[in-house]
């Protein structure tokens, strides 16, 4: 039952994180504008925390959530569940595809890096991985977007937009880049660690080829490491997703989340707020649930993948 | 290939280059320290409006208001690096003592650290930073800059503290620590006079790598137009907007989004400067790690 305990711990942690997030999102966003002088209208801006309003916000939100079982509405009156249903599936497809691409490619690159360590090819190996891991995701996206538009705009399946069935391909590829190199690094580090183990030396001594030992024994034990890093990979994909959806106008959950947050850098007196706290929480809830799911999968898989020589 | 610590030499080289740019920047040729805006160029019948593409006059092109982008980036080096160093220093000033205090893996400091690390590791740092920095009480706060730097430092302080805790714990398991304990010193003295010197090389390595992580986070926030240092300025009878107070690279990235197709240099060069600097920090960190491990035997 140690596993069940661990899973429950994780659930409680993520519930706490969700609650903290709800508490930040519902802080009232009204501010006071005070004009001093009589002849010139000079504005002085002040923010005072309105605790009463804050309590109200939280009370009504949780009452609605628990009693009516819904997540509220967006600013036009559409239920949040509909908004989620419209935007999230696009992101889910991208996330899932990015996972599918990055893991196998990452592991292969990791193996390549390890085997190329002391050869002249090391530059293509670990140094290249190191370099790619230093690149900011927004830099990669800006470059790739520009290259595609300038030089190869004729590849239909890599076009921008979100309406076609193939629209998920380009965002998935972009979201998979950093995670793939991350997995490559942990794979090659894990293999290097295994190499020192006695059973490897024994096997090599018995006459098995390096390749056989690698795939039959080392990779099997590295599985555990790979499972442990599933949540970290997921976090990187989500982080990339925020930037990708924003820069490419890919209207998925992260995009909708950002626009519901409506971080505005200008305002007019009397303008209506476009801030949609229910949508923010709804989208965040979906993403937090996805991360929780991946954490659970990772914990379950590592639990059953006992190390064996 | 790694025989003569290529990482360290490349890292020092790139870092030195950045320091030179930072210090000598305003005096270099071709750099306009006043950052003049050229809103229109007229040559006979030929009229050009900004943003100007890269040319001899504007090696990196210009921004939407006609300012030379190369000058902006060079002059912004100092602002960017000051932020990055300050935030990372705050992060380590919090995380190192906390990690040391939690090194016995029990007691209140351990619980604080574990809770903090777990909560912030549950979400991507970018996500937490966006939620915290767009909170309303930050928007009009006169100490916004301090708060923003502090919050960014906090986001990954738990992670650093956890690493320090793990390493301190490993030190505490060594036999010579029992000898140290018999000296009868206060625990804090033991931590700072005996643990810290042993941990210092690794802390230095982590510090440089964290410089890269902070710069990455600031850059990502810049893409979303969430900046650190800003001020509200009244623009009309009942309008106001946020303006940036300095020229750090993240603020330049805010214009990246709409301009990738038509004016791609506006987003590319600031992003490139950030990528170059992160690479320099990582090389330096990795190089120092190799240096310390080679010299500690």
């Amino acid at each position: 039952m140690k596993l069940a305990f661990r899973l429950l711990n994780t659930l409680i942690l993520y519930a706490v994180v969700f609650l903290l997030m709800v508490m930040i999102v519902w802080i009232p966003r009204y501010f006071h504008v005070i004009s001093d002088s009589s002849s010139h209208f000079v504005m002085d801006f002040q923010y005072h925390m309105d605790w009463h309003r804050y309590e109200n916000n939280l009370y009504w939100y949780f009452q609605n959530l628990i009693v009516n079982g819904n997540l509220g509405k967006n600013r036009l009156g559409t239920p949040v569940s509909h908004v989620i249903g419209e935007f999230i599936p696009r992101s889910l497809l991208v996330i899932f595809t990015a996972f599918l691409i990055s893991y196998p490619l990452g592991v292969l690159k990791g193996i390549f890096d390890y085997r190329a360590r002391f050869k002249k090819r090391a530059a293509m190996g670990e140094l290249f991985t190191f370099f790619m891991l230093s690149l900011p995701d927004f830099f990669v996206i800006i470059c790739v977007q520009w290259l595609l538009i300038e030089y190869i705009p004729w590849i239909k399946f890599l076009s921008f937009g979100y309406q076609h069935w193939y629209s998920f391909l380009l965002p998935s590829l972009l979201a998979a880049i950093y995670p793939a190199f991350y997995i490559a690094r942990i794979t090659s580090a894990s293999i290097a660690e295994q190499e020192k183990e006695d059973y490897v030396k024994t096997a090599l001594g018995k006459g098995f080829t390096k390749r056989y030992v690698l795939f039959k024994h080392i990779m099997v034990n590295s599985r555990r490491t790979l499972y442990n890093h599933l949540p970290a990979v997921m976090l990187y994909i989500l982080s990339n997703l925020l930037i990708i959806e924003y820069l490419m106008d890919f209207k998925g959950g992260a995009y909708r989340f950002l626009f519901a947050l409506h971080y505005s850098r200008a305002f007019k007196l009397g303008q209506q707020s476009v801030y949609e706290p229910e949508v923010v929480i709804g989208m965040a809830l979906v993403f937090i649930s996805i991360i929780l799911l991946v954490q659970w999968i990772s914990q379950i898989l590592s639990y059953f993948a006992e190390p064996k020589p | 290939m790694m025989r003569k610590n290529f990482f360290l030499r490349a890292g020092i080289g790139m870092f030195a280059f950045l320091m030179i740019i930072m210090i000598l920047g305003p005096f270099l040729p071709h750099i306009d320290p006043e950052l003049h805006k050229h809103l229109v160029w007229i040559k006979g019948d030929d009229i050009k409006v900004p943003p100007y593409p890269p040319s001899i006059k504007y090696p990196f092109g210009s921004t939407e208001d006609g300012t030379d982008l190369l000058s902006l980036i060079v002059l912004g080096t100092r602002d960017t690096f000051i932020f990055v160093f300050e935030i990372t220093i705050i992060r380590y000033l919090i995380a190192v003592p906390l990690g040391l205090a939690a090194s016995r893996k029990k007691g209140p400091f351990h619980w604080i650290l574990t809770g903090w690390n777990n909560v912030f590791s549950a979400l991507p740092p970018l996500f937490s930073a966006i939620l915290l920095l767009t909170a309303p009480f930050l928007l009009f706060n006169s100490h916004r800059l301090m708060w923003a730097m502090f919050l960014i430092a906090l986001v990954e302080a738990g992670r650093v503290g956890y690493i320090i805790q793990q390493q301190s714990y490993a030190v505490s398991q060594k036999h010579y620590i029992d000898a140290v304990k018999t000296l009868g010193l206060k625990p804090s003295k033991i931590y700072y006079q005996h643990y810290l010197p042993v941990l210092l090389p690794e802390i230095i390595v982590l510090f440089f790598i964290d410089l890269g992580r902070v710069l990455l986070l600031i850059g990502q926030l810049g893409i979303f137009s969430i900046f650190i240092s800003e001020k509200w300025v009244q623009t009309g009878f009942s309008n106001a907007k946020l303006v940036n107070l300095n020229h750090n690279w993240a603020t330049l990235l805010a214009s990246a989004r709409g301009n990738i197709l038509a004016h791609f240099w506006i987003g590319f060069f600031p992003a490139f400067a950030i990528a170059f600097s992160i690479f320099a920090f990582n090389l330096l960190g990795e190089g120092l790690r190799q240096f310390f491990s080679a010299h500690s035997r």
Side-chain angles (χ1 to χ4, degrees):
Chain A
M1 278 302 106
K2 212 169 160 205
L3 177 65
F5 197 61
R6 218 183 289 167
L7 295 180
L8 186 62
N9 259 344
T10 313
L11 176 64
I12 294 175
L13 172 67
Y14 279 83
V16 166
V17 169
F18 175 66
L19 279 172
L20 286 174
M21 201 206 49
V22 169
M23 288 177 59
I24 295 181
V25 167
W26 277 114
I27 295 174
R29 300 202 162 201
Y30 295 88
F31 48 82
H32 301 274
V33 176
I34 298 167
S35 153
D36 270 344
S37 109
S38 48
S39 47
H40 305 285
F41 186 52
V42 174
M43 296 196 284
D44 181 31
F45 312 101
Q46 286 172 16
Y47 179 81
H48 298 296
M49 177 70 159
D50 185 346
W51 290 101
H52 186 67
R53 184 173 238 141
Y54 186 37
E55 264 177 58
N56 255 351
N57 284 347
L58 287 175
Y59 174 75
W60 286 111
Y61 180 74
F62 280 114
Q63 201 194 48
N64 190 27
L65 184 62
I66 295 171
V67 171
N68 299 339
N70 72 55
L71 288 164
K73 303 194 164 106
N74 74 0
R75 66 188 169 106
L76 297 174
T78 324
V80 169
S81 45
H82 286 203
V83 180
I84 292 179
E86 185 190 338
F87 288 90
I88 287 284
R90 299 175 190 140
S91 293
L92 282 185
L93 192 51
V94 171
I95 294 173
F96 185 66
T97 314
F99 246 110
L100 277 188
I101 297 174
S102 60
Y103 251 90
L105 288 183
V107 169
L108 286 175
K109 177 73 169 64
I111 296 175
F112 172 81
D113 281 357
Y114 174 75
R115 297 175 83 187
R117 265 180 332 161
F118 296 115
K119 303 182 187 165
K120 290 260 167 65
R121 291 191 286 174
M124 264 309 284
E126 288 192 337
L127 184 58
F128 181 61
T129 303
F130 180 86
F131 172 72
M132 289 304 291
L133 284 175
S134 301
L135 287 184
D137 46 9
F138 50 83
F139 178 65
V140 173
I141 295 166
I142 290 175
C143 290
V144 168
Q145 270 198 279
W146 181 69
L147 284 172
L148 278 180
I149 295 173
E150 273 293 301
Y151 296 111
I152 33 178
W154 36 264
I155 301 184
K156 177 176 161 204
F157 293 115
L158 288 181
S159 55
F160 298 81
Y162 60 95
Q163 309 95 314
H164 303 283
W165 71 263
Y166 50 79
S167 299
F168 73 96
L169 282 171
L170 183 58
S172 307
L173 283 172
L174 289 173
I177 295 177
Y178 188 94
F181 285 100
Y182 176 78
I183 292 169
R185 189 176 67 180
I186 56 178
T187 305
S188 72
S190 165
I191 299 175
E193 233 181 84
Q194 303 271 350
E195 187 199 34
K196 301 178 200 149
E197 295 282 326
D198 288 335
Y199 78 87
V200 172
K201 295 183 184 153
T202 320
L204 287 173
K206 278 187 181 176
F208 291 117
T209 63
K210 277 190 183 164
R211 181 174 287 179
Y212 180 82
V213 175
L214 184 66
F215 285 104
K216 265 282 184 168
H217 297 289
I218 294 181
M219 286 313 296
V220 166
N221 288 325
S222 294
R223 273 188 327 182
R224 207 145 191 255
T225 315
L226 289 174
Y227 295 152
N228 281 337
H229 285 265
L230 271 171
V233 172
M234 185 64 206
L235 289 185
Y236 282 124
I237 293 180
L238 277 180
S239 194
N240 283 350
L241 193 68
L242 273 169
I243 305 232
I244 290 171
E245 291 196 12
Y246 181 74
L247 284 179
M248 291 178 51
D249 244 10
F250 181 84
K251 293 181 169 46
Y255 176 93
R256 190 65 184 82
F257 169 83
L258 287 168
F259 281 92
L261 212 43
H262 187 65
Y263 179 68
S264 104
R265 302 177 54 73
F267 81 94
K268 289 193 195 32
L269 270 184
Q271 113 189 80
Q272 206 178 17
S273 169
V274 193
Y275 180 58
E276 296 170 283
E278 293 94 343
V279 177
V280 173
I281 297 177
M283 293 299 168
L285 178 62
V286 175
F287 287 126
I288 290 179
S289 310
I290 296 175
I291 301 172
L292 174 61
L293 197 61
V294 172
Q295 276 278 13
W296 272 349
I297 292 175
S298 154
Q299 288 174 327
I300 293 172
L301 286 175
S302 334
Y303 185 80
F304 287 115
E306 291 301 317
K308 49 180 188 267
Chain B
M1 184 200 82
M2 316 277 184
R3 241 162 286 145
K4 276 195 176 174
N5 213 338
F6 160 78
F7 281 88
L8 188 59
R9 300 205 290 181
I12 290 179
M14 289 172 77
F15 190 70
F17 173 73
L18 287 167
M19 288 293 112
I20 292 174
I21 297 280
M22 184 172 106
I23 298 170
L24 295 181
F27 310 112
L28 291 172
H30 235 311
I31 303 291
D32 171 15
E34 316 275 304
L35 292 177
H36 292 110
K37 302 177 206 236
H38 283 111
L39 290 168
V40 67
W41 281 102
I42 302 177
K43 203 176 188 181
D45 282 341
D46 196 20
I47 301 181
K48 289 194 173 52
V49 287
Y52 309 117
S55 60
I56 301 185
K57 207 168 192 61
Y58 296 100
F60 282 1
S62 85
T63 57
E64 286 149 322
D65 59 6
T67 324
D68 175 28
L69 192 56
L70 174 62
S71 305
L72 259 180
I73 290 183
V74 164
L75 290 168
T77 311
R78 192 167 161 270
D79 292 328
T80 311
F81 277 30
I82 286 179
F83 277 147
V84 171
F85 271 89
E86 284 183 350
I87 293 174
T88 314
I89 289 173
I90 295 173
R91 183 178 284 180
Y92 275 71
L93 282 178
I94 298 174
V96 172
L98 187 56
L100 285 173
S103 61
R104 287 183 309 155
K105 294 203 177 172
K106 49 185 181 187
F109 289 112
H110 170 66
W111 290 112
I112 295 175
L113 179 62
T114 308
W116 186 339
N117 182 35
N118 283 341
V119 164
F120 279 105
S121 301
L123 296 171
L126 178 57
F127 198 87
S128 321
I130 291 178
L131 280 177
L132 287 174
L133 287 180
T134 57
F137 43 69
L138 218 52
L139 217 46
F140 296 111
N141 197 319
S142 44
H143 302 295
R144 186 200 151 77
L145 175 57
M146 237 180 54
W147 275 108
M149 294 206 310
F150 185 63
L151 286 173
I152 295 180
L154 283 188
V155 167
E156 291 203 284
R159 194 190 117 255
V160 176
Y162 174 77
I163 296 176
I164 305 282
Q165 179 198 40
Q166 297 295 99
Q167 307 225 332
S168 314
Y169 182 76
V171 170
S172 75
Q173 302 297 89
K174 299 229 160 102
H175 296 301
Y176 69 83
I177 290 297
D178 292 333
V180 169
K181 284 186 188 156
T182 63
L183 291 175
L185 294 167
K186 281 196 311 194
S188 58
K189 270 217 142 103
I190 297 184
Y191 289 135
Y192 291 103
Q193 287 182 5
H194 295 277
Y195 282 59
L196 200 51
V198 176
L199 296 172
L200 201 54
E202 187 61 24
I203 293 179
I204 294 176
V205 169
L206 289 170
F207 184 83
F208 277 98
I209 296 181
D210 254 79
L211 287 174
R213 292 179 80 109
V214 169
L215 184 50
L216 175 66
L217 187 57
I218 296 179
Q220 290 173 327
L221 289 171
I223 293 263
F224 296 118
S225 304
I226 299 173
F227 307 134
I228 309 181
S229 83
E230 314 169 284
K231 193 169 89 157
W232 282 99
V233 159
Q234 191 168 349
T235 52
F237 264 131
S238 57
N239 313 334
K241 69 175 193 181
L242 274 175
V243 292
N244 313 307
L245 288 179
N246 65 38
H247 302 297
N248 72 74
W249 297 335
T251 63
L252 298 175
L253 282 175
S255 332
R257 185 175 177 242
N259 288 312
I260 299 183
L261 174 54
H263 317 294
F264 132 91
W265 57 91
I266 295 180
F268 175 79
F269 286 108
F272 176 76
I274 292 180
F276 185 88
S277 306
I278 296 178
F279 194 40
F281 292 138
N282 285 345
L283 282 174
L284 210 44
E286 193 57 40
L288 284 171
R289 174 174 281 154
Q290 291 179 4
F291 174 79
F292 286 130
S293 69
H295 286 242
S296 72
R297 300 278 164 257

